[in-house]
Amino acid sequence: MQILKIGLLGLGNIGSGVYSLIKRKNKLIAQQSGVRLEIVRIADRSRSLGISVPKHLLTQDVNQVVRHPHIDTVVELFGGVQPTLKFVLTALRSGKDVVTANKALLAEEGDQIFRMAERFDRKIFFEASVGGGIPVIQGLREGLVTNHIQSIHSIINGTSNYILSEMTERGLDFKTALKAAQQKGYAEANPTLDIEGGDAAHKITILASLAFGKMAKFKDVYVEGISAIRHEDIAFANEFGYRIKLLAIVKKSGDGVEARVQPTLIPKHHILADVNGSYNAILIRGDETGDVLFYGKGAGQKPTASAVVSDLATLGKARSASSPMRFPRGHLTVKNISTILSRYYFRFQVIDRPGMLAKISDVLGKHHISISDVIQKERRTGRVVPLILLTHGVHESAVRRAVHAIDRMPVVRGKTQVLRIEE
Amino acid sequence: MQILKIGLLGLGNIGSGVYSLIKRKNKLIAQQSGVRLEIVRIADRSRSLGISVPKHLLTQDVNQVVRHPHIDTVVELFGGVQPTLKFVLTALRSGKDVVTANKALLAEEGDQIFRMAERFDRKIFFEASVGGGIPVIQGLREGLVTNHIQSIHSIINGTSNYILSEMTERGLDFKTALKAAQQKGYAEANPTLDIEGGDAAHKITILASLAFGKMAKFKDVYVEGISAIRHEDIAFANEFGYRIKLLAIVKKSGDGVEARVQPTLIPKHHILADVNGSYNAILIRGDETGDVLFYGKGAGQKPTASAVVSDLATLGKARSASSPMRFPRGHLTVKNISTILSRYYFRFQVIDRPGMLAKISDVLGKHHISISDVIQKERRTGRVVPLILLTHGVHESAVRRAVHAIDRMPVVRGKTQVLRIEE
């Protein structure tokens, strides 16, 4: 069993999420990856903590973490560029691997950090820096390794996407939608970094650097936010068949790349047009795989902490060449289909006669199947017509008995179509 | 540099794709992962090959691959369960790691294969077995490692999805859509495994086993195909606000799991409802990350070969504890925004006067900006009204000069809204 001795920098929202996740899921992670995570020390400068942590773990002295002789891995969740950069560089120089969620730090100082990591032969993982719990960094680094990346089109700022979705769906103006986002906790009191595109620019700088194997400069990324978008722009775009989304784009173009964050009109049928609310999505076009999309919650304590901890597991596995692979063990009990609970769609072929619907409903009722919706069309007495019923949740076994009975009724012709509904 | 000595079983569609990909991209893969891929021997029983391969690499004797003393990694692309199982077990017993795209083999005999791999401390990677070039297996194994998986809802058979999409969009009946799919190469001459759900059932068996850490039995998965779906079912479902998709589902339910493949009604606004044509998508719900979706081309030579080769790179990295991490090197040239080519949306605030549109068009024309669409509404002579123009592709620099000139025209009030369009 590989053991990671972890020093944690920061016990704010994400930091306390990481701490609590490691406590809750240490056994699952060890089972699935063969890595045990052990928190040795936590540096935090705030006095009030939302979670209870044993006192002996805590320190206010960052050096007690980044230079601690028994710590081999530093998890940086302070955020910000300065003085965090100094701490991360010290950690690397002291022989620690680093896991971070800090997109600003990597976008603005990645060059320096990566060079230091190479010099000291250290590893840096940063899955949580883009797309919260969505494993897009690993996908780009490993899953798409055979590709020359041609473009990335992404929705990577949940706050802006939430605001634009509310403006689109509920016809709100920008200011009202921003206030709603703030009330729901999707936007901060000072929302500038989100709505003016800076956060998305940090993230696309990281994605561009990984996609093209060279460091993109954050300052080279063109940035436009959404605060100038008026509701009428959304309405006019809609008339032309478009939605407006804040896209972060990087694409190959001649001998260079284009990299920009901008409110963009995209066709309504485009896969990114349906990414709504606070969700994120990253669409990557590779020359081998074609388009690959990663989608999920791009922020929040639990998804972000999950990405940090998955990096720790990956790091632990990478430390040992002999770490055995984990395979499924034992047998999974799959329930018989007759026991499942589902909503159903029935299409009966019935002879249209007065009282026919009542007869069928009666049989369904006897089997405790309750109807939610009905369509009966092209009614012509005495002719075979389709009768469509949707049910509330019911057991498959009851459905089978009921349909078996109904299929034998004289008013019913042919086999009933039975389909399941998932919401 | 880690070197993988590879033996290839099968040089059909995927096999020749893997061979050619390794030849074309060996340098890129080495740069990005520090692993060099070397094909030592290829076993193939067919006589006619679509690609040219040096004769000394070829053999008709499988044992020359699976027992070859200099081969450390066997890539199995024969397909089928027998006699492939025997070859894979021999490879593992002979100390080779295995990469395979064979979903039938893993779904039906995974238990035996995984036990053999554990016994001989070998690794097996099978990214290509589900979802072609979509890195969902790695996502599930590593990215979502902190999660108790609650459910997977997936569209993992491209043929069925193509047929249902054609039935939905073009109003075709099942047989016509199937023929169209066969003509376009999306369905095989014998389409049973695809349209009756067997292929999706193989894949969901693999996903279920990884998600829950126990082997699901292929025979326990309930399977219904799409051949009984009539166009009227799609039309009625549409009236209730649903689309019909062939879903492969696994979900936690009490002390067991439900696992099934079935045509399913899902709400139109559901993210899976917009997965059309031959695309695949896998929606995984974890207790930490919430919903995460992976989407892309689920089949085809290039995406599938890409997944196989990415497994080889991952395997190579896993062999060495000291393999240094690859970071971006040097600086990426990001083009100045003024040089980009894009379509544009303009919203001008203009005083509605005769000839006003002509004047604005004139300025745009002088800057070689060509208009594709116009909306002009709420026309009231002498009042300020919005004028919306969409352009064909044009350079940003020209747009800036034109808008600068237009914003100074006496008929124009306020700043012009300029947004970019991506198709």
Side-chain angles (χ1 to χ4, degrees), chain B residues 188-199:
Chain B
E188 314 211 4
N190 179 352
T192 310
L193 198 61
D194 290 316
I195 62 174
E196 295 306 348
D199 174 75

Side-chain angles (χ1 to χ4, degrees), chain B residues 233-361:
Chain B
D233 293 317
I234 290 174
F236 288 127
N238 183 51
E239 288 193 44
F240 288 115
Y242 293 96
R243 297 252 181 279
I244 299 183
K245 292 285 182 190
L246 183 69
L247 291 195
I249 301 170
V250 56
K251 57 168 106 163
K252 222 171 155 34
S253 163
D255 54 346
V257 303
E258 296 174 15
R260 47 200 155 103
V261 173
Q262 59 180 39
T264 312
L265 277 71
I266 55 173
K268 277 180 207 177
H269 59 75
H270 193 285
I271 185 91
L272 290 177
D274 288 311
V275 176
N276 289 318
S278 62
Y279 277 89
N280 281 16
I282 303 98
L283 181 65
I284 304 175
R285 178 167 294 174
D287 61 344
E288 304 292 339
T289 52
D291 284 346
V292 176
L293 179 96
F294 299 81
Y295 164 98
K297 283 274 179 203
Q301 187 190 47
K302 284 179 85 181
T304 309
S306 171
V308 169
V309 175
S310 77
D311 273 352
L312 290 169
T314 304
L315 179 59
K317 283 203 279 188
R319 287 241 180 100
S320 157
S322 58
S323 75
M325 195 152 192
R326 305 278 146 168
F327 295 109
R329 277 166 188 274
H331 282 290
L332 187 67
T333 310
V334 174
K335 298 176 98 173
N336 189 281
I337 189 75
S338 64
T339 66
I340 73 154
L341 188 75
S342 178
R343 291 189 64 207
Y344 287 82
Y345 160 104
F346 299 134
R347 175 167 52 75
F348 302 105
Q349 295 293 118
V350 294
I351 300 167
D352 196 2
R353 281 197 197 127
M356 169 273 298
L357 181 56
K359 277 182 196 162
I360 289 180
S361 309

